[in-house]
């Protein structure tokens, strides 16, 4: 048979290139997750589907490490969950402090401005963290109702400590929104213990599912703010009060849930629970260490310092004289390995390597290291 030519044929015949996804996302899916997506459709109010929804919420609480009632997957990617966090908390005129040290905190600021927030930004260069002192100083200069932080900055490879900052924000009467898009299910995250008010994520990074859902959780302080809003949430689709009526006991239709995506998420979460969340954090850390050790043997340098380097995503400095885009292209064409290029300030300066979810396996690390050795060695 002739090789299939067009994309429809490629998909139907399952002849798409067998990529090893080691970029900033999406990551690889466990075959069990893909299989779950082939299950027959149910209606979004079918009692059998409603039962699956309950399981999803229960398992999301497990991975978020929370008892928060208001915990559910937004129908949309991580950015939709980010927007849900901001749209529901920020009212026109609210003081919002955004800690900008990378691409995704800039996006938080952009969204907060669109919802009428009085946005103030503090800055660190791309590759640094915010210290407790940085945030203390900013809040001393002027209080904020809402503070936004990115725990795992996928653009810089930095892991931002958030627990102490949450306590500080609360002492000042504010709430903390945390972006855990590249951390949930891969890096230690303790929503209740660290008293985080809103935390959001996505399906396609450390949870190892396809893109399309954005898990989010609202703690008691955030719920209280929702109930005391002066204005309606300006975004109808992401209004948590409406979503809660569908995900809670009332089961009121809001939008047609992406049923198949939710099958995938449920299976992905079941896999996390089988592995055990702490074991999963440990696996991500171990495979990252294997990668970092191998990079150093190759003479390659990580952009983020070891003290706050992110296990799920490593930024590798492109050596002098190397065409970074050509290397990425060659890795894809020759070894089927996808890695990412730099974003924003780091464009052209780093490669971004994700070891997330099902992609975080020693054989992938070893293959990538050997491929890099051949490319630049
Ligand atoms: C990927 C990512 C997002 C955006 O998620 P999408 O699923 O691409 O919409 C937001 N924040 C961080 C830190 C990310 O890595």
């Amino acid at each position: 048979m002739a090789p299939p030519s067009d994309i429809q044929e490629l998909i139907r015949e399952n002849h798409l290139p067998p990529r090893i996804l080691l970029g900033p996302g999406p990551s690889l899916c466990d075959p069990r997750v893909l299989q779950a997506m082939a299950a027959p459709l149910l209606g979004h109010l079918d009692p059998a589907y409603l039962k699956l929804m309950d399981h999803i919420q229960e398992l999301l609480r497990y991975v978020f490490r929370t008892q928060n009632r208001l915990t559910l997957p937004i129908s949309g990617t991580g950015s939709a969950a980010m927007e849900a966090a901001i749209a529901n908390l920020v009212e026109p005129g609210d003081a919002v402090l955004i800690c900008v040290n990378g691409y995704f905190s800039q996006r938080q600021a952009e969204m907060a401005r669109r919802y009428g927030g009085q946005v103030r930004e503090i800055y660190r260069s791309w590759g640094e963290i915010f210290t407790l002192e940085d945030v203390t100083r900013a809040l001393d200069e002027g209080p904020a109702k809402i503070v936004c932080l990115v725990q795992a900055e996928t653009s810089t490879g930095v892991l931002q400590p958030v627990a102490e900052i949450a306590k500080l924000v609360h002492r000042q009467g504010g709430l903390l929104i945390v972006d855990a898009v590249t951390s949930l299910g891969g890096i230690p995250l303790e929503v209740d213990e660290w008293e985080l008010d809103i935390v959001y994520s996505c399906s396609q990074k450390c949870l190892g599912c396809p893109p399309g859902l954005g898990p989010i959780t609202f703690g008691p302080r955030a719920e209280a703010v929702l109930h005391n809003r002066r204005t309606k949430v300006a975004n109808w689709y992401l209004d948590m009060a409406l979503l809660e009526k569908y995900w809670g006991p009332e089961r009121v239709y809001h939008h047609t849930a992406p049923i198949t995506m939710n099958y995938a998420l449920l299976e992905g979460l079941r896999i996390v629970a089988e592995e055990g969340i702490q074991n999963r954090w440990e696996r991500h850390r171990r495979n990252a260490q294997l990668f970092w050790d191998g990079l150093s043997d190759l003479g390659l340098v990580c952009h983020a310092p070891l003290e706050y380097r992110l296990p799920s995503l490593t930024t590798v400095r492109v050596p002098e004289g190397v065409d970074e885009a050509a290397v990425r292209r060659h890795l894809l064409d020759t070894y089927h390995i996808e890695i990412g290029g730099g974003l924003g300030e780091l464009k052209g300066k780093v490669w971004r390597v994700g070891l997330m979810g099902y992609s975080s396996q020693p054989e992938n690390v070893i293959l990538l290291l050997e491929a890099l050795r051949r490319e630049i060695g």
Side-chain angles (χ1 to χ4, degrees), residues 77-79 82 104 107 150 152-154 179 181-182 202 204-205:
T77 65
S79 304
M82 181 191 289
F104 292 102
R107 184 174 291 182
V150 176
E153 231 324 329
T154 321
D179 179 316
V181 173
T182 298
C202 76
Q204 79 273 15
K205 293 180 185 175

Side-chain angles (χ1 to χ4, degrees), residues 97 120 134-144 147 168-169 172:
L97 177 70
R120 200 152 46 96
D134 293 332
V135 183
T136 304
R137 203 174 316 119
L139 289 176
D140 284 348
E141 279 167 21
V147 177
L168 165 71
V169 170
Q172 308 258 349

Side-chain angles (χ1 to χ4, degrees), residues 102-175:
Y103 184 85
F104 292 102
S105 33
Q106 288 181 336
R107 184 174 291 182
Q108 292 175 326
E110 170 66 16
M111 286 184 185
R113 276 191 287 268
R114 288 184 184 215
Y115 286 95
Q118 290 292 333
V119 173
R120 200 152 46 96
E121 293 169 62
I122 53 175
Y123 301 96
R124 276 282 181 179
S125 69
W126 290 37
E128 293 179 357
I129 55 166
F130 287 93
T131 63
L132 198 56
E133 292 68 43
D134 293 332
V135 183
T136 304
R137 203 174 316 119
L139 289 176
D140 284 348
E141 279 167 21
K145 177 180 162 189
I146 298 143
V147 177
C148 294
L149 271 183
V150 176
Q151 187 195 16
E153 231 324 329
T154 321
S155 63
T156 63
V158 158
L159 176 59
Q160 169 70 51
V162 294
E164 291 309 310
I165 293 178
K167 291 182 179 77
L168 165 71
V169 170
H170 293 154
R171 280 199 295 278
Q172 308 258 349
L175 271 74

Side-chain angles (χ1 to χ4, degrees), residues 10-42:
L10 285 169
I11 292 171
R12 199 166 47 237
E13 304 278 323
N14 198 10
H15 278 152
L16 290 174
R19 301 300 196 209
I20 299 166
L21 299 175
L22 303 180
S27 61
L28 291 170
C29 293
D30 189 303
R32 277 173 55 186
V33 169
L34 297 176
Q35 209 130 46
M37 296 176 77
L41 269 191
L42 294 169

